[in-house]
Amino acid sequence: HWRTQLAHDRGVDGLPATMAALRDGAVAEMLLADHPTSAATAWIGPGGTDLAAGAAELTERGVQDPVTDRADAALARGLATTDAPLYFLPADLATSTEAPRDGVGAALRFQREAAI
């Protein structure tokens, strides 16, 4: 489903694009690979969807004093404040060439140009 949505500009692939879509309220459903040893980080603020690849993205949106967190934890926390479901990718799919970049992707509520 995600690959089909991605092909029709109703999906995003990779950590920065998924964080931006979540922050902007565009995520309909998220895919996340379970990588417990991942070193990927995200910047977060006090609001659930206050997350970004860089601190400047949040401060430009009025978030004061953003801090870093594990990217997967920040994504799960942010998604929990929405009504979108989270699907964990099984290990065999998470490591395949069909998996989302960075182990994370999302189907969107509306076309990508309108969302991001």
Side-chain angles (χ1 to χ4, degrees), residues 29-113:
E29 55 190 32
M30 186 186 301
L31 304 172
L32 184 62
D34 184 15
H35 292 299
T37 60
S38 174
T41 60
W43 287 87
I44 62 170
T49 58
D50 291 341
L51 71 159
E57 290 177 75
L58 291 179
T59 56
E60 288 172 6
R61 291 165 106 44
V63 175
Q64 296 180 10
D65 304 319
V67 297
T68 57
D69 194 4
R70 283 182 49 123
D72 55 358
L75 286 165
R77 174 180 156 255
L79 196 67
T81 66
T82 74
D83 63 350
L86 172 61
Y87 299 101
F88 286 101
L89 297 173
D92 61 330
L93 182 58
T95 58
S96 80
T97 58
E98 294 296 311
R101 210 168 354 128
D102 306 324
V104 63
L108 303 178
R109 298 178 189 280
F110 34 83
Q111 274 194 294
R112 188 172 37 233
E113 290 81 29

Side-chain angles (χ1 to χ4, degrees), residues 10-25:
R10 291 182 58 100
V12 291
D13 185 22
L15 188 57
T18 304
M19 285 191 292
L22 182 58
R23 185 179 60 238
D24 294 339

